[in-house]
Amino acid sequence: VLTATEGPDTQGWRELFAGRVAGMENDALATLLGLAGREDVISFAGGLPDPATFMTDRLAEVARQAIVDEPGVALQYEPTPGLPRTRDWFRSYLARREGVATTFESVMVTSGGVEALDLLNKVLVDPGDVVLMEAPSYLGAEMVTTSYQGEVVGVPMDDDGPRVDLLRDTLDALARRGRRPKFIYTIPDYQNPSGITLTGERRAALVALAAERALLLVEDIAYRRLGTGDAQPPTLWSLNPAGVVLIDTFAKTFFPAARVACVAAPPELIRVMTLAKQTTDQFASTLSQSMLLAYDRQGWLDEQVARARTIYTRRRDAMLDAMGRVLPAGLQWTRPGGGFFTWLTLPEGVDATALAPQAMARGVAYVPGQPFFTRGVDGRRYLRLSYSYVAVDGIDEGLRRLAAVIEQASAPSGEGI
Amino acid sequence: VLTATEGPDTQGWRELFAGRVAGMENDALATLLGLAGREDVISFAGGLPDPATFMTDRLAEVARQAIVDEPGVALQYEPTPGLPRTRDWFRSYLARREGVATTFESVMVTSGGVEALDLLNKVLVDPGDVVLMEAPSYLGAEMVTTSYQGEVVGVPMDDDGPRVDLLRDTLDALARRGRRPKFIYTIPDYQNPSGITLTGERRAALVALAAERALLLVEDIAYRRLGTGDAQPPTLWSLNPAGVVLIDTFAKTFFPAARVACVAAPPELIRVMTLAKQTTDQFASTLSQSMLLAYDRQGWLDEQVARARTIYTRRRDAMLDAMGRVLPAGLQWTRPGGGFFTWLTLPEGVDATALAPQAMARGVAYVPGQPFFTRGVDGRRYLRLSYSYVAVDGIDEGLRRLAAVIEQASAPSGEGI
């Protein structure tokens, strides 16, 4: 048995790297996921669903059944845009939940929400192209665009969502430079990382501006099913299906490893995204698709989502309650109506990135806000706290540890922060 | 309930398409898969594994068990390069099968073999870069490279595999134009589409030339485990692990919908392919990974592979026997030592693409050879016959139908072909 060569780039393969690799050299996400692993740390870092929301025995049963009942479907190669039955299922799912019927050619299945973004960026983004995102926004979405050498431009948010007036200014400024953005990416419900929900009024204004400027809207509704109440503003897609790409992942409501998301979009985009998917993973797991449909048929998807909402609502409540009691005066944070996250603003001059190692030393983890902003924007005062993965009895203690670290840093003698 | 807008590109979204979409507009693969669907047609077209090789009850059982035993692993988000246990398993699998030990940092898990190619092309291929492939080669591999606006240059084959002498000439010619190919892609075992196996002597020459010219070798061993005999030349990777990317998909030996392949490569490439995978599907299904490991632990993977080899060997034998008896004199075809395919050369002047609709009308399907060649190469005389999906008693009848169509086309009166 020989041993393969180890170590640095002895063969000069780095010389072969494409230009786009420079845009991928961002280890922020990996670092972030790495923070969550230690046993003695109460982690508000990861944005993971809690496995307690999964109904394990039922998932095991639908997996077994899908293979036994239709091995030729659940095990075999299948069409790139998804099983026809999955596409039809998603159409009825959207009609039921969002009140809008759509065509078979307007929907497809992808291997998770990020893959949908990958396909979309692959077919739309040439090097140097502009993509707009909320500032702050989901780090993974920004990484996809930069992996295709696109340029991300941020649109500031307030408590009602992205500022449509500032978006108009940005579009004007870009137009003066002769540039048309390829799309704007938004997470309207309980946004990652801010927890903010785009209001109904602001949604209408955003859709109207986008239609006026022929700006493609990309709407990621990863957390929409995990609201704490029942009243929700309509999806952007339901306001204008011809102008919106809706990405609905089942990672948080079914289970992440299923790697199943569904997309609704103008058919011209579905067509080219399907072409792109032919040369990536070819099709999303049909075992997962079969499981998802069987799960929903038996009413278990709704049941699991209801169970998840109960768990996350309890944690959200415990989180906001503890923040009010435990954190030092003068801090600000968002009050999410669902999802996984709240967004904390530290006192002027306190740097959440610099503070993270001290927090870890005290046994509490969070994600510093800076990576959620594009280069050049100062996001040092912000940090993201996720309550999705922390049991209620850990929340109080975790926040006490965090409060102690912030207090120390905010004290007049808190040097070097 | 509203209705989403249908029809052509009313919103002008096509204007947003990136330059690389032009390289994706290849519906040859979709057309090819479409040929296989009709019930009354004996199809030698698709390259699908026969579901009869899957041990359905056992697969159902490992799926159920993987979820029940470790829901936190089988259902949850997991590391991008694969579960650590999967990477270790693949290292021992390679040591056992290929006699070479390798490091943890030199292997990763991808969502099928094509995704491995997608990641590799994404990190290596800038627009206009040259990638070498056997001529003919796997259509999907060519489509991946053109989706990144790379240029595919073919290396002609003979019965021993790609011609290393002609590869040297091609490298010389490219060097004179100041161009270094990013890699050469090869399927050394029972190649798709030709069925040809690269001989041991030719493998040594190819590895030596590649090392001399710092040419990265990419080896796709999709069919290697499906040989009809036991003696096989070594993998290219085992001859020089520091210079070869080995892609080992389990689509044909486990099941396609698992979407699991493993890659062994220089660690510098694994590192950047992992970065690229962070922004595609983030990780390959951990349910599938858990199932694969459990399946192998119980000896079922070996058992399923043995069963598949028996089935495909019987079909290969029936195919070659029938071809000798039934096809008109003067035709040539390859005699594969395993895998799914044989490659037929028609008489001078007979065009396999033009003949395909007539064959369909007679109730037999195949894949014309032209799409397996790069633009500018005349592949009209060739066609691919796959025997993997046709039961033994259909092979004879399918070939009789094909023989009739070829005879008619070859007859002096066979006009317009």
Side-chain angles (χ1 to χ4, degrees):
Chain A
V1 175
L2 306 167
T3 300
T5 307
E6 261 194 275
D9 187 35
T10 53
Q11 314 292 310
W13 300 134
R14 280 195 202 114
E15 292 166 27
L16 297 175
F17 287 178
R20 63 181 82 78
V21 169
M24 298 178 194
E25 296 280 2
N26 182 342
D27 58 1
L29 194 63
T31 306
L32 188 162
L33 293 173
L35 288 178
R38 269 177 44 195
E39 292 265 324
D40 57 330
V41 170
I42 296 174
S43 178
F44 299 115
L48 303 177
D50 192 314
T53 64
F54 309 147
M55 301 192 295
T56 303
D57 289 343
R58 290 178 179 178
L59 289 168
E61 178 52 25
V62 291
R64 193 193 64 76
Q65 200 77 40
I67 294 173
V68 169
D69 285 353
E70 291 189 288
V73 173
L75 303 176
Q76 188 59 291
Y77 282 106
E78 290 296 341
T80 299
L83 289 171
R85 64 178 77 165
T86 310
R87 298 168 77 185
D88 280 331
W89 172 84
F90 186 60
R91 291 168 66 204
S92 65
Y93 183 86
L94 278 179
R96 200 164 79 225
R97 309 245 169 187
E98 307 302 335
V100 179
T102 191
T103 65
F104 188 76
E105 292 72 25
S106 301
V107 298
M108 72 181 290
V109 185
T110 63
S111 305
V114 174
E115 201 223 3
L117 287 173
D118 178 62
L119 298 173
L120 193 69
N121 278 270
K122 189 170 184 182
V123 300
L124 295 183
V125 176
D126 278 317
D129 278 353
V130 170
V131 171
L132 301 171
M133 295 191 188
E134 292 153 341
S137 185
Y138 171 46
L139 181 59
E142 187 189 330
M143 286 166 62
V144 175
T145 296
T146 57
S147 82
Y148 289 103
Q149 299 168 284
E151 184 194 339
V152 176
V153 173
V155 178
M157 300 180 79
D158 62 20
D159 286 345
D160 292 341
R163 293 262 310 262
V164 175
D165 57 334
L166 296 180
L167 170 61
R168 184 184 294 273
D169 294 347
T170 301
L171 291 173
D172 288 342
L174 287 167
R176 281 193 296 273
R177 290 159 53 204
R179 308 187 68 176
R180 178 185 176 193
K182 288 303 174 88
F183 60 87
I184 179 168
Y185 171 78
T186 167
I187 306 170
D189 310 289
Y190 331 120
Q191 196 231 20
N192 180 4
S194 71
I196 290 170
T197 292
L198 184 55
T199 61
E201 198 177 341
R202 188 77 63 87
R203 286 178 195 232
L206 178 60
V207 169
L209 177 63
E212 177 192 322
R213 301 296 181 98
L215 172 64
L216 183 66
L217 285 168
V218 177
E219 171 181 39
D220 184 341
I221 62 166
Y223 307 96
R224 182 171 176 84
R225 312 297 172 212
L226 299 174
T228 56
D230 285 327
Q232 286 183 316
T235 55
L236 304 177
W237 175 82
S238 66
L239 297 174
N240 183 21
V244 178
V245 177
L246 174 140
I247 302 172
D248 194 355
T249 178
F250 294 91
K252 276 85 182 175
T253 47
F254 189 43
F255 62 95
R259 305 283 69 212
V260 172
C262 291
V263 177
E268 195 51 31
L269 290 170
I270 294 292
R271 191 184 73 81
V272 289
M273 287 171 73
T274 301
L275 289 177
K277 192 169 170 64
Q278 282 190 347
T279 60
T280 56
D281 67 354
Q282 302 188 298
F283 64 100
S285 166
T286 40
L287 175 55
S288 296
Q289 292 180 53
S290 302
M291 287 173 67
L292 176 61
L293 270 58
Y295 208 61
D296 187 48
R297 195 161 45 235
Q298 295 174 78
W300 294 344
L301 189 62
D302 285 348
E303 192 177 329
Q304 183 172 309
V305 169
R307 179 169 150 154
R309 287 174 63 168
T310 304
I311 291 174
Y312 296 134
T313 300
R314 206 177 295 139
R315 289 180 186 180
R316 194 273 318 256
D317 292 344
M319 189 80 182
L320 293 179
D321 172 64
M323 290 175 92
R325 281 186 292 102
V326 165
L327 291 182
L331 299 189
Q332 293 181 325
W333 55 90
T334 57
R335 285 159 204 288
F340 289 0
F341 311 108
T342 177
W343 183 244
L344 182 64
T345 310
L346 296 177
E348 192 79 56
V350 180
D351 181 334
T353 307
L355 215 60
Q358 294 167 47
M360 282 293 284
R362 284 247 188 188
V364 62
Y366 59 81
V367 183
Q370 186 65 65
F372 298 105
F373 294 94
T374 54
R375 257 155 267 215
V377 177
D378 184 357
R380 285 177 295 178
R381 283 179 70 188
Y382 304 101
L383 60 89
R384 189 188 78 177
L385 296 173
S386 170
Y387 49 79
S388 64
Y389 204 73
V390 186
V392 165
D393 53 9
I395 287 177
D396 213 80
E397 173 59 21
L399 283 173
R400 282 182 197 283
R401 295 178 189 176
L402 180 62
V405 175
I406 295 172
E407 268 161 16
Q408 193 175 30
S410 315
S413 61
E415 290 171 48
I417 302 297
Chain B
V1 176
L2 306 166
T3 300
T5 307
E6 262 194 272
D9 187 35
T10 52
Q11 312 294 311
W13 300 133
R14 278 194 203 116
E15 293 166 26
L16 296 176
F17 287 179
R20 62 181 84 77
V21 170
M24 298 178 193
E25 296 279 2
N26 183 341
D27 58 1
L29 192 62
T31 306
L32 187 162
L33 294 173
L35 289 176
R38 271 176 42 195
E39 289 267 323
D40 58 328
V41 170
I42 296 174
S43 177
F44 299 116
L48 302 177
D50 193 313
T53 63
F54 308 147
M55 303 194 294
T56 303
D57 289 343
R58 290 177 180 180
L59 289 168
E61 177 53 24
V62 291
R64 194 191 65 75
Q65 200 77 42
I67 294 173
V68 169
D69 285 354
E70 290 189 289
V73 173
L75 303 177
Q76 187 60 290
Y77 282 106
E78 290 295 342
T80 299
L83 289 171
R85 67 179 74 166
T86 310
R87 297 168 77 184
D88 280 332
W89 171 84
F90 186 60
R91 292 168 65 203
S92 64
Y93 182 87
L94 278 178
R96 200 165 79 223
R97 310 245 168 187
E98 307 302 335
V100 178
T102 190
T103 65
F104 188 75
E105 291 72 26
S106 300
V107 298
M108 72 181 290
V109 185
T110 63
S111 304
V114 174
E115 202 224 4
L117 287 173
D118 178 61
L119 298 173
L120 194 69
N121 278 269
K122 190 170 184 184
V123 300
L124 295 183
V125 175
D126 278 317
D129 277 352
V130 170
V131 170
L132 302 170
M133 294 190 189
E134 292 153 343
S137 186
Y138 171 47
L139 181 57
E142 188 188 332
M143 286 166 63
V144 176
T145 295
T146 57
S147 83
Y148 289 102
Q149 299 167 283
E151 184 194 339
V152 175
V153 173
V155 178
M157 299 179 79
D158 63 19
D159 286 345
D160 293 342
R163 294 261 311 260
V164 175
D165 56 334
L166 297 181
L167 170 60
R168 183 184 294 273
D169 294 347
T170 300
L171 292 173
D172 287 344
L174 288 168
R176 280 192 296 273
R177 289 160 51 206
R179 307 189 66 176
R180 179 185 175 191
K182 288 303 175 88
F183 60 86
I184 180 168
Y185 172 77
T186 168
I187 306 170
D189 310 289
Y190 332 122
Q191 198 232 20
N192 180 5
S194 71
I196 289 169
T197 293
L198 183 56
T199 61
E201 197 177 341
R202 188 77 63 89
R203 288 177 194 233
L206 177 59
V207 169
L209 177 62
E212 178 192 321
R213 301 296 182 99
L215 172 64
L216 183 66
L217 286 168
V218 177
E219 170 181 39
D220 184 341
I221 62 167
Y223 307 97
R224 182 170 176 84
R225 313 297 172 211
L226 299 174
T228 56
D230 286 327
Q232 285 182 315
T235 55
L236 304 177
W237 176 81
S238 66
L239 297 174
N240 183 20
V244 179
V245 177
L246 173 140
I247 302 171
D248 193 356
T249 178
F250 293 90
K252 278 83 182 176
T253 46
F254 189 41
F255 63 97
R259 306 280 70 211
V260 172
C262 292
V263 176
E268 196 49 29
L269 290 169
I270 295 292
R271 191 184 72 83
V272 289
M273 289 171 72
T274 301
L275 289 177
K277 192 169 171 64
Q278 283 191 345
T279 60
T280 57
D281 67 353
Q282 301 188 297
F283 64 100
S285 166
T286 39
L287 174 55
S288 296
Q289 293 180 52
S290 302
M291 287 173 66
L292 175 61
L293 270 56
Y295 208 62
D296 187 49
R297 196 164 43 235
Q298 294 173 80
W300 293 344
L301 188 63
D302 285 348
E303 192 177 328
Q304 183 173 307
V305 169
R307 179 169 150 156
R309 288 174 62 169
T310 304
I311 290 175
Y312 296 133
T313 300
R314 207 176 296 137
R315 290 180 186 179
R316 193 273 319 257
D317 292 345
M319 189 81 182
L320 294 179
D321 172 64
M323 289 175 90
R325 280 185 291 103
V326 165
L327 291 181
L331 300 190
Q332 292 181 328
W333 56 88
T334 57
R335 288 161 201 289
F340 290 179
F341 310 109
T342 176
W343 183 245
L344 181 65
T345 309
L346 297 177
E348 192 79 53
V350 180
D351 181 335
T353 306
L355 214 60
Q358 296 168 46
M360 280 293 284
R362 285 248 188 187
V364 62
Y366 59 81
V367 183
Q370 186 66 64
F372 298 105
F373 293 94
T374 53
R375 257 156 267 216
V377 176
D378 184 358
R380 285 176 295 180
R381 284 178 70 189
Y382 306 101
L383 59 89
R384 189 188 80 177
L385 296 172
S386 171
Y387 49 80
S388 63
Y389 206 73
V390 187
V392 164
D393 52 10
I395 286 175
D396 213 81
E397 174 58 21
L399 284 173
R400 282 183 197 284
R401 295 177 189 177
L402 180 62
V405 176
I406 295 172
E407 268 161 15
Q408 193 176 27
S410 315
S413 61
E415 290 171 49
I417 301 298

